[in-house]
Amino acid sequence: MYTGKGSVDVSDLGVGAVFVLRLARGIPKHKNYKLFFDNWFSSLDLAQTLSDQGMLTLARVKANRLKGCALESDSKLKARGRGSHDWRVETQSNAIVVKWYDNKPVHLISTCAALDPEDTCRRWNGKRKEYANVKRPYCVKEYNRFMGGVDLADMLLELYRIDFLYRRCLAAGQKPMNLLQFKTDVARALLSGASLATPKRDSTRLDGQGHFPAWIESKQRCRVCVQAHSKVKCVKCEVSLCFTPNRNCFLTYHTM
């Protein structure tokens, strides 16, 4: 066990924690509701504050937010093998802090789930080229159960960089649209009853008038074949299109 620092001033919790508390305002207090969130928001102080308000917590937490909580080192847990763990209980909020070693150390803080009942999960062993059963504390299982979708979404955002692709598709000199502007445009389109299924650009690309190729300084992704990049764009449609002896996406785009 270790002792926390007593009462917590909400103004000292940080932006992430204040955001959680703001969203939790409408949750009935002292009804044992459980809140799950990732390590961007969590801290020992936040767990204590939520505990004082009668709400339970299970979250990943960054190691640098566990000052005063001495856990077994990464090297020792690694030497013990995957599935090894260490834990401490914070006396102020009765929160348990668990350090579990998977591919790398994972820190969790919880006021609603502890170590038992322990189970196993399947993990790929790269050296042996086979799956192996790894011991897993109950709090890790519960976190994965309720936060798996959020973590998957974060992973997909990293794998498929939509923001990066969006910038690549912008015309030369075109300023990127920020999120607020995008939401505003969507709202206006919905309120005006505009059809989102048929963009304005599609209504003009087949009209056969004023569609001329022009050179641009930097290559942009072709609107038709997608994989290729081109320095040619349509001056009317303002989209980049392949226009080479072997591939005429310019013609395809304006006729099909």
Side-chain angles (χ1 to χ4, degrees), residues 36 58 60 100 102 106 108 121 123 136-151:
F36 298 82
L58 177 51
R60 288 185 62 178
W100 179 61
D102 189 13
V106 176
L108 294 101
C121 56
R123 290 291 187 269
R136 177 176 61 177
Y138 178 68
C139 57
V140 178
K141 176 185 177 182
E142 286 296 280
Y143 178 85
N144 290 337
R145 176 186 172 193
F146 289 98
M147 287 293 293
V150 176
D151 289 342

Side-chain angles (χ1 to χ4, degrees), residues 158-190:
E158 288 297 319
L159 292 177
Y160 303 99
R161 298 297 303 277
I162 304 302
D163 55 341
F164 176 77
L165 293 175
Y166 168 64
R167 290 194 295 270
R168 289 291 297 270
C169 292
L170 292 175
Q174 184 179 356
K175 185 177 179 180
M177 183 186 301
N178 60 40
L179 182 59
L180 177 59
Q181 184 182 353
F182 171 75
K183 289 183 175 180
T184 302
D185 288 352
V186 171
R188 286 174 177 169
L190 293 173

